[in-house]
Amino acid sequence: MNTDTLDKLAILNKKTQGKYKALLYDCDGTLADNMMAHKLAYKETAANYGIDLDTNIIDELAGWPTKLVADEISKRYHVALPDTFSAEKTAIFFEKYIEKTQPIAYVTEHLKENAPNACIGVVSGGTRTTVQKTLAVLGLTDYIDVLICAGETPKGKPFPDPFLAAAEKLGIEPKECIVFEDGNPGVAAAEAAGMDWIRIDQI
């Protein structure tokens, strides 16, 4: 690990080590350095429907399930996208990008270092298939105690449901959990769940 990674890892450990019973991580953009890949997959899929997508919308809606992102694209671009849009985007992501996924090293190392002493959860707006494959590519599967993905709770981020579901499955009080996120919807969800949080892109 380079000096910057080590410095950021030390900051995360100082903020969290021994203070929480559960560490809950977002996946895309938090554990996985793959947001540009997702943006390109969205842009390519949208182009099939005549949309020149401004990919800033993907940053704005970070953590939203793909289906809801597609609905928002439909609204903003006044195009009736089909129900297959999400599946088409996912297929492009799998075909072209997922095997190339790299870790955000200081976050993945933080997860590994703390796994022996805390419960580990991944709470993502991605589909279970995509998140499981991403975690496998990153070599993190065996560290995960609970996984909550798109469509598995009544509401997704920015609502608290996914994080509360993770805490409930782990048998841990929300106040004893900390969330690691890179997007505003995820931070809002953590706050609504009564959990502490860290914006990893601000470390």
Side-chain angles (χ1 to χ4, degrees), residues 81-161:
L81 294 174
D83 292 339
T84 57
F85 182 93
S86 297
E88 292 168 24
K89 179 265 174 183
T90 298
I92 290 171
F93 180 74
F94 263 76
E95 179 183 350
K96 293 188 175 182
Y97 301 111
I98 200 164
E99 292 289 350
K100 302 174 185 177
T101 302
Q102 295 296 309
I104 297 179
Y106 67 96
V107 186
T108 56
E109 288 304 314
H110 179 267
L111 183 157
K112 292 175 184 178
E113 286 187 10
N114 287 277
N117 302 308
C119 292
I120 303 297
V122 172
V123 180
S124 173
T127 64
R128 179 166 285 263
T129 300
T130 302
V131 176
Q132 285 179 325
K133 178 62 175 177
T134 300
L135 294 174
V137 170
L138 296 177
L140 296 177
T141 302
D142 291 343
Y143 295 93
I144 310 304
D145 297 304
V146 67
L147 178 61
I148 304 293
C149 299
E152 298 178 356
T153 56
K155 294 180 180 178
K157 304 173 190 177
F159 296 95
D161 303 41

Side-chain angles (χ1 to χ4, degrees), residues 2 5 25 31 49 56-57 64 72 77 79 88 105-106 158 160:
N2 61 35
T5 296
Y25 300 82
L31 293 170
Y49 297 96
N56 286 327
I57 189 175
W64 283 32
E72 189 65 20
Y77 287 87
V79 174
E88 292 168 24
Y106 67 96

